[in-house]
């Protein structure tokens, strides 16, 4: 206890310290708690300080920083997954577009996995407390999923730009990633996010293989897919908001 | 705000084909209610229903006359609810103060200064101030249990649902936690599931005994103790009896028929609980179609 704290402790114990006897001891004690709370408060994490600077609301910052998928282990897994995708793309001996297609196929799986691991009984020890809290469960789920989506998309975007060729085609994974993540979020109103992500991810891979075999991999990530992804994202988002009551009692089982 | 009265009506809960809770009409008044029963009696299920973590259908839970199946009533309950689950479901990588801040944010406590004040206060109450910067993974079992209780008290809720809050605590901390739970009993409706019946009895105004999901006793602790009058004995002879507690190397406390050399003693709440359990088990065995 430093000098200031010692003096404040004395002040709370003896109102006469201030030369008056009509100070409410309960109020003094409460004030002391406030002072202690400020003095002892640990320094906020860098992420929390960054979020505040970006204008994220006071109630949202702790929910973002508590996202289970935002731990170092998750980032390590993401980095390994991306390195693997880039490595596969670089070692491919076919045309430039095909090499990038490998990356474009695997890249949307990263945010998808992040969303699956952002929330739910199996991954979040505080799941029951989230459901029992007055904060809307869907809001917490969305905050965490968006956090993971933004974080993983940012890493993927940098990785995309590091690919030696492909131009704008290198970022053609973005809208499909949003679409399959949005489908997972919407389906999570009925099924567990992890199971849903498994089904959606497998379907995505199957779809890419089928289309690439029938036409070309360039067609798979062309304008039609981009527009379809955008429409899917909007529809899934609308469904998610319309089904928000489903989250209210049971939360998300996984 | 006046602490609420909780009324349960035709409440049933099943896991597959098994009915784990079957309560017809139960009233939980303001004050502290201890929920007693062996493992699998339905205590945790009831607490999860009260904490709105599980769906209530079929049956109703009314808080001050409002059915919590209604989203507005459920939200109103959650705004005045503190819940500590049976398991130490704590995120191991988080620091103690960070965890409290997170839970306070879930409880819509704002601004962050207010959350810090609550954190400081509540960690002081459970004796964890010195550990506020520690990672949860570094805490002992008892400290983790106290942290679970601490988070439930954040925001001074007037409905407190506690599932086995005294597990993993040493005698000293059990005593301080009971004092903490009892401190504002008149300002809260608290429901505590516990196996420490005698220790919790000191802090409770009401006791409920569950077995097989059904209610077998509801009343004040003294009345529960009275259930065992004339059936509690101390003896130096070890006997084969289910309701026996060893008090020392050559001293045993028995609830039931008088054992050889048994000396009658005054019953405690725990004796009353064992007596009710004996009767309830007997009744269940003799029930038709059991």
């Amino acid at each position: 206890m430093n000098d200031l704290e010692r003096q404040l402790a004395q002040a709370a114990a003896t109102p006469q310290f201030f030369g008056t006897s009509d100070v409410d001891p309960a109020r003094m004690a409460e004030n002391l708690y406030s002072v202690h709370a400020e003095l002892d408060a640990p320094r906020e994490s860098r992420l929390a300080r960054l979020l505040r600077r970006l204008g994220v609301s006071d109630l949202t910052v702790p929910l973002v920083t508590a996202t289970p998928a935002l731990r170092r282990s998750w980032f390590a897994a993401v980095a390994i997954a991306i390195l693997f995708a880039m490595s596969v793309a670089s070692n491919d001996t076919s045309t430039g577009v095909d090499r990038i297609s490998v990356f474009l196929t695997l890249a949307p799986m990263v945010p998808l996995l992040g969303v699956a691991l952002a929330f739910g009984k199996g991954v979040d020890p505080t799941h029951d407390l989230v459901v029992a809290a007055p904060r809307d469960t869907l809001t917490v789920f969305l905050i965490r999923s968006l956090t993971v989506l933004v974080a993983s998309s940012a890493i993927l975007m940098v990785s995309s730009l590091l690919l030696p060729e492909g131009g704008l085609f290198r970022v053609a994974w973005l809208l499909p990633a949003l679409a399959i993540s949005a489908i997972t979020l919407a389906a999570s109103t009925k099924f567990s996010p992890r199971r849903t992500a498994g089904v959606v991810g497998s379907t995505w891979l199957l779809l890419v293989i089928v289309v690439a075999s029938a036409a070309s991999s360039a067609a798979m990530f062309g304008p039609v897919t981009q527009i379809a992804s955008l429409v899917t994202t909007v529809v899934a988002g609308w469904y998610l908001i319309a089904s928000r009551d489903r989250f209210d009692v049971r939360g998300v089982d996984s | 705000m006046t602490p609420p009265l909780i009324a349960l009506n035709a409440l049933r809960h099943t896991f597959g084909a098994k009915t784990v809770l079957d309560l017809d009409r139960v009233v939980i008044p303001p004050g502290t209610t201890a929920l007693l029963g062996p493992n699998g009696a339905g205590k945790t299920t009831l607490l999860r229903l009260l904490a709105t973590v599980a769906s209530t259908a079929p049956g109703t839970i009314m808080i001050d006359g409002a059915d919590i199946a209604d989203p507005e009533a459920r939200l109103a309950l959650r705004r005045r609810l503190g819940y500590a689950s049976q398991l130490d479901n704590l995120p191991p990588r988080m620091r103690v103060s960070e965890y409290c801040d997170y839970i306070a944010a879930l409880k819509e406590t704002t601004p962050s200064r207010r959350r810090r004040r609550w954190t400081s206060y509540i960690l002081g109450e459970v004796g964890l101030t010195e550990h506020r910067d520690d990672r949860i993974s570094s805490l002992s079992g008892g400290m983790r249990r106290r942290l679970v209780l601490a988070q439930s008290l954040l925001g001074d809720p007037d409905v407190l649902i506690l599932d086995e809050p005294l597990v993993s605590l040493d005698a000293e901390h059990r005593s301080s936690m009971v004092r903490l739970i009892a401190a504002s009993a008149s300002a809260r409706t608290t429901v505590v599931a516990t196996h420490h019946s005698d220790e919790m009895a000191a802090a409770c105004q009401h006791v409920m005994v569950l077995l097989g999901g059904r209610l077998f006793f509801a009343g004040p602790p003294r009345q529960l103790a009275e259930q065992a009058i004339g059936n509690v004995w101390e003896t130096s002879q070890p006997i084969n009896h289910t309701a026996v507690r060893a008090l020392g190397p050559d001293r045993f406390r028995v609830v039931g028929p008088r054992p050889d050399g048994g000396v009658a003693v005054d019953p405690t709440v725990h004796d009353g609980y064992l007596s009710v359990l004996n009767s309830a088990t007997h009744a269940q065995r003799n029930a038709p179609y059991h």
Side-chain angles (χ1 to χ4, degrees):
Chain A
M1 190 180 271
N2 60 32
D3 287 346
L4 174 62
E5 292 176 84
R6 200 171 293 117
Q7 286 184 26
L8 285 165
Q10 286 174 356
T14 57
Q16 291 79 4
F17 184 82
F18 287 124
T20 172
S21 58
D22 59 359
V23 179
D24 178 8
R27 197 172 164 196
M28 287 292 287
E30 198 177 315
N31 288 344
L32 186 64
Y33 272 123
S34 304
V35 174
H36 268 301
E38 292 303 315
L39 285 173
D40 299 340
R43 193 169 156 77
E44 270 192 324
S45 66
R46 260 174 284 180
L47 176 61
R49 292 201 301 274
L50 173 68
L51 291 169
R52 284 190 197 284
R53 261 186 230 128
L54 291 173
V56 175
S57 83
D58 176 61
L59 276 178
T60 303
V61 170
L63 304 187
V64 172
T65 55
T67 303
L70 278 188
R71 300 292 165 194
R72 270 181 218 154
S73 53
W74 182 80
F75 276 112
V78 168
I80 290 167
I82 291 170
L83 281 174
F84 174 73
M86 290 178 75
S87 153
V88 171
S90 305
N91 290 333
D92 198 298
T93 52
S94 44
T95 66
V97 172
D98 283 337
R99 280 157 53 179
I100 291 171
S101 294
V102 177
F103 178 77
L104 295 182
T105 304
L106 295 178
M109 304 291 280
V110 175
L112 180 70
L113 280 173
V115 168
L117 296 175
F119 196 83
K121 251 180 202 164
V123 293
D124 180 12
T126 66
H127 180 77
D128 278 356
L129 295 178
V130 172
V131 176
R135 198 77 194 269
D136 183 40
T137 309
L138 175 62
T139 305
V140 178
F141 182 43
L142 284 181
I143 287 171
R144 288 182 170 183
S145 299
L146 286 175
T147 302
V148 176
L149 267 175
V150 169
S152 53
S153 299
I155 301 170
L156 279 168
M157 193 60 83
V158 173
S159 311
S160 309
L161 298 176
L162 289 176
L163 286 173
E165 52 201 61
L168 268 181
F169 195 60
R170 289 179 291 183
V171 293
W173 56 267
L174 184 58
L175 284 175
L178 281 177
I180 63 174
S181 299
I183 292 171
T184 303
L185 289 172
S188 297
T189 56
K190 285 192 175 176
F191 311 104
S192 86
R194 281 189 287 174
R195 263 183 237 158
T196 309
V199 172
V200 172
S202 308
T203 309
W204 163 251
L205 290 177
L206 198 65
L207 193 67
V208 173
I209 292 166
V210 168
V211 173
S213 310
S216 70
S217 45
M220 181 60 212
F221 298 99
V224 175
T225 301
Q226 300 301 324
I227 291 168
S229 298
L230 189 62
V231 172
T232 305
T233 304
V234 172
V235 172
W238 168 82
Y239 178 81
L240 182 63
I241 291 165
S243 314
R244 64 187 306 143
D245 281 351
R246 288 180 192 272
F247 279 87
D248 197 37
V249 174
R250 69 175 181 87
V252 178
D253 301 319
S254 51
Chain B
M1 190 179 271
T2 316
L5 182 137
I6 303 172
L8 318 176
N9 192 27
L11 199 60
R12 273 166 194 82
H13 201 77
T14 54
F15 285 133
K18 189 183 177 194
T19 301
V20 290
L21 199 65
D22 185 0
L23 301 174
D24 275 338
R25 279 187 186 182
V26 178
V27 172
I28 302 173
T32 306
T33 298
L35 206 54
L36 306 180
N39 293 333
K43 304 189 296 294
T44 294
T45 301
L46 176 56
L47 295 189
R48 286 175 61 80
L49 290 171
L50 291 174
T52 72
V53 176
S55 169
T56 56
T60 55
I61 297 178
M62 313 281 278
I63 306 285
D64 277 345
D67 187 348
I68 63 167
D70 172 57
E72 289 297 317
R74 190 164 56 239
L75 179 61
L77 169 62
R78 286 173 176 172
R79 289 209 160 109
R80 53 202 298 204
L81 176 73
Y83 172 53
S85 72
Q86 184 179 20
L87 304 169
D88 287 349
N89 283 340
L90 296 164
R93 299 285 302 160
M94 264 194 194
R95 296 184 192 283
V96 170
S97 56
E98 188 190 1
Y99 173 69
C100 290
D101 188 53
Y102 163 64
I103 298 296
L106 282 175
K107 292 184 175 186
E108 298 179 326
T109 307
T110 191
S112 54
R113 196 183 307 116
R114 195 158 162 245
R115 293 200 296 273
R116 284 197 292 273
R117 206 171 68 167
W118 263 113
T119 298
S120 181
Y121 168 74
I122 217 69
L123 291 181
E125 289 293 299
V126 298
L128 287 176
T129 302
E130 300 298 314
H131 300 277
R132 60 179 304 147
D133 296 331
D134 293 353
R135 288 206 189 275
I136 289 172
S137 56
S138 72
L139 301 182
S140 70
M143 287 176 191
R144 291 164 65 93
R145 203 64 215 144
R146 282 184 276 152
L147 181 58
V148 169
L149 180 63
Q151 64 77 21
S152 71
L153 293 165
L154 283 167
D156 196 20
D158 65 0
V159 178
L160 196 55
I161 307 294
L162 307 174
D163 200 349
E164 302 287 1
L166 306 182
V167 165
S168 306
L169 297 180
D170 56 38
E172 184 192 346
H173 281 118
R174 279 206 304 274
S175 174
S176 65
M177 291 306 106
V178 168
R179 274 202 304 276
L180 186 60
I181 293 166
S184 45
S186 60
R188 286 198 179 109
T189 301
T190 304
V191 187
V192 192
T194 183
H195 289 294
H196 296 85
S197 46
D198 280 337
E199 279 171 289
M200 273 312 300
C204 290
Q205 290 78 50
H206 320 280
V207 184
M208 288 165 58
V209 178
L210 291 181
L211 180 67
R214 293 173 59 203
L215 183 69
F216 282 88
F217 175 87
R222 175 189 289 266
Q223 198 179 320
L224 180 58
E226 286 169 1
Q227 304 293 310
I229 285 179
N231 281 313
V232 187
W233 318 90
E234 280 188 17
T235 175
S236 57
Q237 304 294 318
I239 59 165
N240 185 16
H241 194 292
T242 50
V244 174
R245 274 187 291 169
L247 303 174
D250 292 319
R251 279 182 67 215
F252 301 91
R253 193 176 178 96
V254 180
V255 179
R258 183 173 184 270
D260 288 341
V263 178
V265 290
D266 288 337
T268 64
V269 169
H270 189 73
D271 296 326
Y273 162 61
L274 291 178
S275 186
V276 168
L277 274 193
N278 281 346
S279 309
T281 309
H282 187 72
Q284 281 195 336
R285 278 199 196 120
N286 293 332
Y289 311 113
H290 175 73

